[in-house]
Amino acid sequence: TDDSGQGAGTLVVGWGSTYGPITAAVRRVRGAGERIAQAHLRHLNPFPRNLGEVLARYDKVIVPEMNLGQLATLLRAKYLVDARSHTQVSGMPFKAEQLAEVFKEAIND
């Protein structure tokens, strides 16, 4: 798990096919001057050994998922973090512009 975005209070956690749109959205948000970090999981079982430590460094954790929010539920249960789920079940991929707005709202919430 690699989280970049020094001094960020918000972490976006993704996995699988969400990598491209999340990365593009995080770039947009950083380009707008906001501090935000990103971590992309390659394996969900077992979770990366340092995931708990990484999650604990952030005030806000956002989990965009192409399902009903199962990863956010697992993160909440295992690490007791307030992982905010952003789900989409339309069968269409996330759009970077849409995710960037979601991330900005979460940062300023």
Side-chain angles (χ1 to χ4, degrees):
T1 302
D2 174 40
D3 58 315
S4 52
Q6 297 182 321
T10 303
L11 173 68
V12 180
V13 178
W15 69 282
S17 66
T18 60
Y19 179 78
I22 288 175
T23 301
V26 166
R27 268 196 212 117
R28 278 174 187 251
V29 173
R30 283 188 188 148
E34 301 284 1
R35 293 177 157 198
I36 189 167
Q38 175 184 4
H40 202 77
L41 304 178
R42 288 191 185 90
H43 305 286
L44 298 183
N45 192 15
F47 279 129
R49 224 179 286 139
N50 68 335
L51 184 57
E53 297 162 34
V54 170
L55 294 172
R57 291 201 295 257
Y58 296 90
D59 299 326
K60 298 173 185 168
V61 177
I62 307 167
V63 187
E65 296 185 71
M66 300 297 299
N67 57 38
L68 297 174
Q70 287 91 328
L71 177 57
T73 300
L74 291 172
L75 295 177
R76 280 187 216 108
K78 184 165 175 74
Y79 301 107
L80 303 177
V81 296
D82 181 20
R84 299 175 186 204
S85 193
H86 177 73
T87 62
Q88 180 172 305
V89 198
S90 65
M92 299 298 293
F94 281 120
K95 290 188 168 55
E97 313 86 73
Q98 171 202 10
L99 283 179
E101 287 306 311
V102 169
F103 299 165
K104 285 180 194 170
E105 279 177 30
I107 289 168
N108 296 313
D109 181 15

